[in-house]
Amino acid sequence: MKRTKTVLTAVVLGTVMSLAVSGCTQSGGSGSGGAKQPTLAFIQGVAGDEFYISMECGIKAAATAAGAKVTVQGPTKFDPTLQKPIVDSVVASKPDAILVAPTDVAAMQAPLKAAAAAGIKIVLVDTTVNDPSFAVSQISSDNSGGGVAAFQAIQKAHPNGGKVLVISTDPGVSTSDARAAGFKSAVEKDRSFTFLGIQYSNNQPAKAAEIVTAALQKDPDIVGIFAANLFSAEGTATGVQQAGMGGKLTIVGFDAGPAQVEQLKKGTVQALVAQEPAAIGKAGVTQALAALNKQQVTAKIQTGFTIITKDNVDGDAKSAIYRSSCG
Amino acid sequence: MTTPVLEGRGLSRKFGFVSALDEADFEVFPGEVTALIGDNGAGKSTLVKALSGSLALDSGEIFFEGQPIVLSSPSQASLLGIETVYQDLALAPHLTPVQNVYLGRESMSRGIAGRLGFMNVPEMTNKSREAFEDLGATVRSLTAPVGSMSGGQRQAIAIARAVHWANRVIFLDEPTAALGVRQTKNVLDTIRRVRDKGIAVVFISHSMPHVIDIADRIQVLRLGTRVANITNSGTTMEELVGLMTGASTRTTP
Amino acid sequence: MNTTTEPELGKETSAIEAIRQKEKWFTRIVKMQAFQIFLVLLVLVVVFSLLAPDTFAQFSNLRLVVQNASILAVLGVGMTYVIITSGIDLSIGSVLVFSGVVSAIVMRQVGGDNWGVAAIGIAVSIVLGILWGVLNGVLVAKAKVPPLIVTLGSLGMALGGAQILTGGVDLRDVPSVLTESIGYGNVFGSIPLISVIALVVIVLGAIVLHRTRFGLHTYAVGSSEEAARRVGVRVDRHLIRIYALSGGLAGLAGILSLSQFSTTAIAGQSQTNLNVIAAVVIGGTSLFGGYGTIFGTVVGLFIPAVLQNGFVITGVQPFWQQVAVGAVLIAAVYIDQVRRSSTRRGNSQKNRKWPIFGRKSPPQ
């Protein structure tokens, strides 16, 4: 019994101490700010992801420049059941504005609407919800434009045209659907290219590989494949290798995290369409502060892309690679 | 002679190639204490398990009050009024003495509450306390888990439970093995009291003085077979040891 | 001789009992692990309240903490029963998703946005949960497959089934009667309805566990399956019922989740099973079976919930919550070990292995 109590006491004391430490840093931060320093909270779609970390870096830089304070929180998985409690807790901490990447268009609707009703300015970054009318601004990549950019990369490598294919993750994912649609519309404007359609890999590399080998069986003259996310790109490359077509066609991947850049450097993919998360973050801060200062806000902002290839990965495009820390 | 309340004829059971019971006979009479003795591995525990429904037999017949029966489960034996206190007690260690006494035979509340599964805890507590006091058992707490109690206390609870429910036959497998002097005396007194109620008691023990002290009849098992069935009058320890080890034989009562 | 000693011994028994009775209430509660962990929870609440009096210690905040713990609480009640039998149920998160998915599909097929449709959806979800639970129970009790393996298998089957039915795409057309009432509705002013439902489940679960024959048999099966079997408890049937209960509550949680999130969240809930198991164990329920309380489980759920909420509010990195909860979890199991070895006497349960790796099979 005595040992039992000792352990419990130790656990409690440990927790209390860690809290006390965190509390000190916390109160120090808010104490020095005086009356006017606005507080912002950034809620990521998933913690530890390079896309959101790069966005966090953009937010922090913009906030520091504007004299605002930022806290960052995120669920351990891209999962609304994990994100909702975090949103609720952030709302309870009463920040002036929240920048949030909702993990589900339906599930996050009510909690975020409630936050807006409580007087907090909401800026939706990257993803959105069913009815975003409560938000002061929505900022995201122009996913359709991303699809166009992906096609431009293929066009550049194969000026004579040919057949092109899209490997996406799952039907119903708004961002990748928009990318595929943008790609398709761009293909249809260039008569020399033929669009073979969109196939879904369910985010499994093996399935993507299967689809690609089958497609190459049928159409050995495919010149380019747009793989709309990481795992699709991996599987696509495997499929191309299996079909013995390595190097003959251009695979364009999406996003530019360390894994994707590794793929590019190894020659698995020939080009990457990089979003600009830092720009999204920066615009988010600008819009949030504008709303707080009762200035004009822009309801919808779309940011651009950078195309990364082997040629510019260590040069011009280096800054477009997503970061794993803001350091 | 009266009819045996429980009787086994030609009971056999093999475990692999080992015959734990080999054509063993056994009978117990109401109002008698029957001691079942034998060396380790003689088949005593197997016999008890077979006669209390815990173990299926390869062959042999069991009669209850003269009628042939098949004992397929311990609860069936319980319904006939046959209870067993096992060597390993078979109490649930996390439950209280009261819960152990009534486990599987809970008394339910009256009316709708009982239908919904609510138990009559006061009644179970009072009757358990009576059962322990009848036995003279020093059960220190009726609300602590039995796993936290000494071997003697747990033994007392297990015996009290069997006595509480048995109305025909009660098997006690080494009931005094874990007990101190006073508790042993309590158990032996209890056995006499149970016998006087007209219940048949089967007492399995390695302690020859206790056997001679309490048994009305002594049956000896050796290598799975009954080698002696004697009434306990003027029996000596030497004689019993001789029977158990096969040094002497005597088969008539 | 006999006649003089017996009444004396009897008196001794009752006398000791009477003394016990007096001190029993207080000391037993203090000794309960659930109570100690409750003190830890109180300390956490006090510390966070001192650190953030005008944000953490607000009714509106604590209301949301309770609301967010409600679905887990429903699952925790079933899990407490399962763990008391020395079993485990890893499938609850997947069963929740599966039941929610089928319920959403059925409600869409029936069409309309009224309580009739909602009632069908609720019934479908709970019945499907029970069916998964019965499957788990039969495999554990009759086929003697270890519960860890059985429920790991049904975890995959239920999740895979949900993905097959939907092609992996979340369904979001949940009737608004559900989202507006169960999901975000309030009673008595601002008490979330979903929390009231959870409270009803908790109270019923606790009454059945601590006051009825069903509860007693649950403890008995977990304490010593053999002892229960010998006195005629129908152990197999009881285990099937326990897993069915856990599955049925996962089905109920499925409809609660559907109402609260307006989506089937197929990719979600992947850690729900482990979070619920952690809460049950933190609350003092023994993984070895035979011991545990619903109260402890509820307290065990609020420790991670309060930690997360408090950390977010005080601006601590979210990862620290997992570190802290992990430490509390290990401490709780350690305490259980110490308690078990100090209360276990004699040799009645030597050689007991970690129960989740396999039930001890009955002799012969």
Side-chain angles (χ1 to χ4, degrees):
Chain A
M1 216 49 230
K2 213 161 192 175
R3 279 167 84 197
T4 313
K5 274 182 189 149
T6 318
V7 171
L8 263 178
T9 317
V11 170
V12 173
L13 277 180
T15 317
V16 170
M17 270 163 64
S18 66
L19 286 177
V21 170
S22 68
C24 287
T25 54
Q26 159 77 6
S27 54
S30 58
S32 62
K36 269 300 186 185
Q37 188 188 29
T39 55
L40 307 180
F42 172 41
I43 304 170
Q44 303 161 320
V46 56
D49 177 84
E50 285 89 4
F51 179 79
Y52 290 113
I53 292 171
S54 306
M55 196 182 290
E56 175 186 339
C57 300
I59 290 172
K60 279 183 170 165
T64 312
K69 186 175 154 333
V70 188
T71 58
V72 181
Q73 299 284 348
T76 49
K77 286 191 65 186
F78 195 84
D79 176 352
T81 65
L82 299 179
Q83 195 185 34
K84 179 184 178 289
I86 291 175
V87 168
D88 288 344
S89 302
V90 167
V91 171
S93 72
K94 298 176 185 163
D96 296 313
I98 294 176
L99 286 76
V100 56
T103 46
D104 189 279
V105 291
M108 300 317 295
Q109 175 83 37
L112 290 175
K113 201 173 172 183
I120 300 170
K121 305 292 179 198
I122 306 291
V123 177
L124 302 176
V125 288
D126 184 39
T127 44
T128 185
V129 293
N130 280 331
D131 174 15
S133 54
F134 59 82
V136 296
S137 180
Q138 297 179 71
I139 303 150
S140 65
S141 300
D142 169 16
N143 278 298
S144 162
V148 175
F151 176 64
Q152 283 162 354
I154 292 174
Q155 219 174 12
K156 202 174 159 196
H158 301 274
N160 298 330
K163 292 174 178 170
V164 289
L165 178 70
V166 176
I167 307 292
S168 188
T169 55
D170 287 305
V173 179
S174 61
T175 49
S176 45
D177 280 356
R179 290 168 201 167
F183 185 88
K184 185 180 171 206
S185 65
V187 178
E188 281 162 357
K189 279 179 198 145
D190 187 335
R191 289 282 180 116
S192 58
F193 283 89
T194 315
F195 184 61
L196 294 177
I198 305 167
Q199 301 269 12
Y200 296 100
S201 68
N202 303 119
N203 219 11
Q204 295 165 20
K207 187 158 182 207
E210 241 167 66
I211 293 167
V212 168
T213 37
L216 286 170
Q217 203 76 30
K218 187 163 166 270
D219 298 294
D221 50 346
I222 293 177
V223 295
I225 300 177
F226 173 38
N229 75 340
L230 178 64
F231 286 139
S232 301
E234 234 164 51
T236 300
T238 310
V240 169
Q241 296 292 341
Q242 282 169 353
M245 309 279 277
K248 288 185 192 160
L249 47 76
T250 304
I251 303 171
V252 181
F254 207 84
D255 284 332
Q260 285 95 341
V261 171
E262 181 74 21
Q263 284 184 334
L264 179 72
K265 286 183 174 168
K266 280 197 321 200
T268 309
V269 301
Q270 282 68 46
L272 291 174
V273 178
Q275 305 185 65
E276 295 177 345
I280 296 176
K282 191 177 168 212
V285 173
T286 313
Q287 294 302 314
L289 294 176
L292 287 173
N293 297 329
K294 303 202 164 50
Q295 293 161 353
Q296 178 102 36
V297 291
T298 313
K300 205 161 181 175
I301 296 174
Q302 295 201 314
T303 54
F305 298 90
T306 308
I307 291 182
I308 311 178
T309 60
K310 245 181 179 164
D311 301 331
N312 67 359
V313 67
D314 292 317
D316 305 345
K318 194 165 185 177
S319 59
I321 296 169
Y322 301 170
R323 299 163 69 176
S324 40
S325 76
C326 296
Chain B
M1 208 167 85
T2 49
T3 320
V5 59
L6 188 64
E7 185 180 7
R9 287 277 163 262
L11 307 178
S12 297
R13 170 72 201 229
K14 280 187 177 181
F15 294 113
F17 293 108
V18 181
S19 279
L21 284 180
D22 183 13
E23 295 285 319
D25 297 334
F26 187 74
E27 66 269 322
V28 289
F29 294 90
E32 269 191 15
V33 175
T34 304
L36 176 61
I37 61 171
D39 208 348
N40 287 335
K44 304 184 298 278
S45 291
T46 311
L47 181 63
V48 172
K49 280 183 179 157
L51 290 174
S52 58
S54 295
L55 183 70
L57 287 160
D58 296 336
S59 65
E61 288 177 298
I62 298 172
F63 300 90
F64 181 75
E65 295 183 326
Q67 302 298 314
I69 53 163
V70 178
L71 283 175
S72 55
S73 73
S75 41
Q76 196 197 348
S78 293
L79 285 176
L80 296 170
I82 303 169
E83 288 292 325
T84 311
V85 179
Y86 293 95
Q87 226 171 328
D88 56 354
L89 301 172
L91 296 176
H94 298 82
L95 303 189
T96 67
V98 175
Q99 290 171 331
N100 265 296
V101 168
Y102 276 88
L103 182 61
R105 286 178 283 215
E106 300 81 4
S107 50
M108 307 306 287
S109 296
R110 267 172 283 280
I112 190 93
R115 290 268 181 86
L116 289 173
F118 289 90
M119 297 175 291
N120 191 339
V121 178
E123 184 188 307
M124 293 194 291
T125 309
N126 290 332
K127 287 197 172 168
S128 303
R129 184 182 286 120
E130 280 170 28
F132 298 138
E133 286 175 2
D134 273 355
L135 198 64
T138 48
V139 176
R140 292 217 324 272
S141 167
L142 293 180
T143 49
V146 301
S148 67
M149 299 179 181
S150 69
Q153 290 186 45
R154 278 185 283 164
Q155 183 70 277
I157 293 161
I159 293 174
R161 173 171 74 179
V163 171
H164 188 61
W165 295 107
N167 52 29
R168 289 288 186 278
V169 183
I170 176 166
F171 289 95
L172 298 164
D173 194 351
E174 295 279 5
T176 55
L179 302 186
V181 177
R182 193 172 77 156
Q183 290 160 322
T184 301
K185 186 180 169 306
N186 282 338
V187 169
L188 295 181
D189 288 343
T190 305
I191 291 174
R192 288 197 188 90
R193 228 171 309 132
V194 172
R195 174 195 62 195
D196 294 344
K197 286 202 272 183
I199 296 170
V201 180
V202 181
F203 178 70
I204 298 146
S205 182
H206 279 118
S207 167
M208 293 308 123
H210 293 157
V211 168
I212 292 167
D213 181 17
I214 200 168
D216 298 303
R217 179 188 299 272
I218 301 170
Q219 312 204 17
V220 184
L221 278 184
R222 192 168 70 233
L223 303 175
T225 312
R226 184 172 69 184
V227 294
N229 179 5
I230 57 179
T231 49
N232 182 19
S233 52
T235 317
T236 64
M237 221 147 82
E238 290 71 25
E239 191 181 356
L240 292 180
V241 172
L243 288 167
M244 280 160 62
T245 55
S248 66
T249 50
R250 179 173 146 191
T251 42
T252 44
Chain C
M1 267 295 277
N2 289 350
T3 43
T4 51
T5 51
E6 271 165 36
E8 208 180 294
L9 285 170
K11 262 184 214 156
E12 186 186 11
T13 312
S14 336
I16 293 170
E17 184 62 28
I19 298 163
R20 291 251 146 188
Q21 215 79 33
K22 276 185 195 163
E23 59 167 2
K24 173 183 83 177
W25 250 100
F26 184 71
T27 48
R28 275 185 70 208
I29 286 183
V30 171
K31 278 184 185 173
M32 261 176 66
Q33 192 174 338
F35 180 75
Q36 296 169 345
I37 211 81
F38 181 65
L39 292 182
V40 173
L41 178 62
L42 279 186
V43 169
L44 288 177
V45 170
V46 168
V47 169
F48 282 124
S49 299
L50 292 175
L51 287 175
D54 50 354
T55 46
F56 178 84
Q58 295 293 314
F59 172 76
S60 59
N61 180 43
L62 298 179
R63 176 183 167 276
L64 284 173
V65 173
V66 170
Q67 190 204 57
N68 285 323
S70 298
I71 291 175
L72 293 180
V74 169
L75 296 167
V77 169
M79 186 67 82
T80 308
Y81 276 85
V82 171
I83 293 183
I84 287 176
T85 67
S86 80
I88 200 96
D89 189 351
L90 297 177
S91 70
I92 50 169
S94 297
V95 169
L96 183 164
V97 168
F98 182 90
S99 304
V101 161
V102 177
S103 173
I105 291 173
V106 168
M107 286 192 284
R108 189 177 60 186
Q109 293 298 329
V110 174
D113 190 350
N114 54 57
W115 273 107
V117 182
I120 294 172
I122 293 169
V124 164
S125 190
I126 294 175
V127 167
L128 282 169
I130 291 173
L131 290 178
W132 278 108
V134 168
L135 175 71
N136 283 337
V138 167
L139 289 171
V140 168
K142 298 288 186 191
K144 311 285 179 210
V145 183
L148 183 77
I149 301 303
V150 168
T151 58
L152 186 63
S154 53
L155 176 159
M157 287 161 66
L159 188 59
Q163 286 165 333
I164 290 167
L165 288 170
T166 56
V169 184
D170 278 318
L171 301 172
R172 296 196 175 85
D173 35 12
V174 180
S176 61
V177 288
L178 280 177
T179 55
E180 283 163 15
S181 60
I182 297 174
Y184 285 96
N186 292 306
V187 287
F188 312 122
S190 56
I191 311 292
L193 180 57
I194 196 168
S195 304
V196 174
I197 293 171
L199 184 67
V200 169
V201 171
I202 289 166
V203 169
L204 287 179
I207 290 175
V208 169
L209 182 63
H210 300 298
R211 287 279 170 271
T212 69
R213 175 164 61 185
F214 187 83
L216 178 63
H217 287 188
T218 305
Y219 284 108
V221 168
S223 180
S224 168
E225 206 179 306
E226 182 57 23
R229 225 180 269 281
R230 280 192 195 165
V231 293
V233 174
R234 295 167 76 177
V235 172
D236 292 354
R237 192 185 67 172
H238 196 74
L239 281 171
I240 294 171
R241 288 181 175 180
I242 295 284
Y243 283 91
L245 172 71
S246 179
L249 288 175
L252 174 62
I255 207 80
L256 298 183
S257 172
L258 214 49
S259 307
Q260 176 142 56
F261 296 108
S262 325
T263 169
T264 47
I266 296 167
Q269 310 292 358
S270 61
Q271 284 161 15
T272 302
N273 52 4
L274 296 182
N275 290 338
V276 171
I277 291 166
V280 171
V281 173
I282 287 172
T285 297
S286 172
L287 279 171
F288 291 88
Y291 184 86
T293 60
I294 300 283
F295 171 72
T297 297
V298 174
V299 176
L301 275 171
F302 276 110
I303 296 247
V306 165
L307 274 176
Q308 186 187 42
N309 178 262
F311 280 178
V312 169
I313 285 181
T314 53
V316 179
Q317 272 262 308
F319 301 117
W320 281 106
Q321 183 242 1
Q322 299 177 68
V323 175
V325 172
V328 174
L329 176 66
I330 293 172
V333 174
Y334 173 72
I335 290 164
D336 179 46
Q337 286 282 24
V338 172
R339 187 182 52 76
R340 275 164 28 83
S341 54
S342 70
T343 57
R344 191 178 58 206
R345 294 168 60 166
N347 58 359
S348 64
Q349 34 167 223
K350 65 181 175 188
N351 300 332
R352 282 201 82 175
K353 51 194 167 184
W354 274 93
I356 53 173
F357 296 114
R359 294 197 311 132
K360 289 196 292 183
S361 50
Q364 321 301 329

